[in-house]
Amino acid sequence: DTEVTQTPKHLVMGMTNKKSLKCEQHMGHRAMYWYKQKAKKPPELMFVYSYEKLSINESVPSRFSPECPNSSLLNLHLHALQPEDSALYLCASSQVPEGLSNQPQHFGDGTRLSIL
Amino acid sequence: AQSVAQPEDQVNVAEGNPLTVKCTYSVSGNPYLFWYVQYPNRGLQFLLKYITGDNLVKGSYGFEAEFNKSQTSFHLKKPSALVSDSALYFCAVRDNPTGGFKTIFGAGTRLFVKA
């Protein structure tokens, strides 16, 4: 079992809906990440939180809104998504922000999102 | 700028035979190198890493990787493949210390192990 828990595992939503993806880790990691992964492609970085503050936004459209309420939780709020946003959304965490660390990232199993 | 290349989209090997999945990288500083594996409908799982020291790194599930600085390569190897090794493998690099917060992933190599 993975140590990073993502919910829900699957999500189907219309383009006008608002939904949220959730991620939780209890390893004491202070860096958390959101990635988008299309089928058979590598993960694409979306956001990085370092010590609960947004450190990187990879020019992600505003219809994706991240939130880090505390050091264990990471949310991704979704609104007015497009069909091309359908993908596997992966959450990851690492011990410290990776620029200062040689530690690997720990990934959740992702939320498979389908936009109708 | 950092980059990583996995030249093979797919590697096919018979069970019991040795396997190699290739990776080359480009960084401006000293690299941190990683291999991850992804099984269907799962997230990425860490296999092994090279930070410094011995060029041969041993990791999970019997995998190992050899760091070659002159060839800027970090190939993943296993002496005897199992059918259960069939998965998608990603090589990843961070530039130390200038890479900041980013890990750069290769395009991935799909490994098929036939019984």
Side-chain angles (χ1 to χ4, degrees), chain A residues 4-83:
Chain A
V4 177
T5 304
Q6 291 188 243
T7 56
K9 293 188 183 304
H10 302 274
L11 179 61
V12 179
M13 57 187 288
M15 289 188 284
T16 59
N17 292 157
K18 288 185 179 179
K19 296 286 185 182
S20 297
L21 309 185
K22 297 186 183 298
C23 174
E24 189 169 4
Q25 58 87 15
H26 294 288
M27 294 178 282
H29 291 174
R30 301 307 298 275
M32 297 186 77
Y33 312 78
W34 280 115
Y35 287 89
K36 174 183 179 181
Q37 187 181 26
K38 290 283 199 181
K40 301 180 182 180
K41 298 294 185 182
E44 301 171 33
L45 183 65
M46 300 175 70
F47 302 104
V48 179
Y49 273 83
S50 168
Y51 298 99
E52 297 84 67
K53 295 190 188 314
L54 184 64
S55 297
I56 292 180
N57 177 340
E58 288 287 279
S59 302
V60 179
S62 59
R63 57 186 185 269
F64 294 92
S65 176
E67 179 195 19
C68 190
N70 59 56
S71 59
S72 299
L73 295 174
L74 185 66
N75 299 321
L76 186 62
H77 303 297
L78 314 173
H79 174 54
L81 295 193
Q82 303 298 310

Side-chain angles (χ1 to χ4, degrees), chain B residues 20-99:
Chain B
T20 299
V21 182
K22 295 179 180 178
C23 172
T24 59
Y25 66 90
S26 175
V27 298
S28 56
N30 294 317
Y32 288 160
L33 295 158
F34 303 82
W35 276 102
Y36 291 87
V37 60
Q38 187 175 29
Y39 296 98
N41 302 313
R42 301 296 301 275
L44 278 67
Q45 296 178 34
F46 168 70
L47 279 178
L48 51 79
K49 67 180 180 183
Y50 173 82
I51 303 302
T52 187
D54 194 346
N55 289 344
L56 184 63
V57 178
K58 294 189 182 297
S60 306
Y61 312 120
F63 284 93
E64 57 190 28
E66 187 167 9
F67 171 67
N68 187 318
K69 188 173 183 178
S70 62
Q71 297 185 3
T72 61
S73 67
F74 190 57
H75 301 330
L76 181 70
K77 300 181 179 184
K78 187 173 183 181
S80 178
L82 300 172
V83 172
S84 57
D85 292 330
S86 299
L88 184 58
Y89 290 80
F90 291 103
C91 182
V93 65
R94 290 185 209 145
D95 194 350
N96 172 37
T98 63

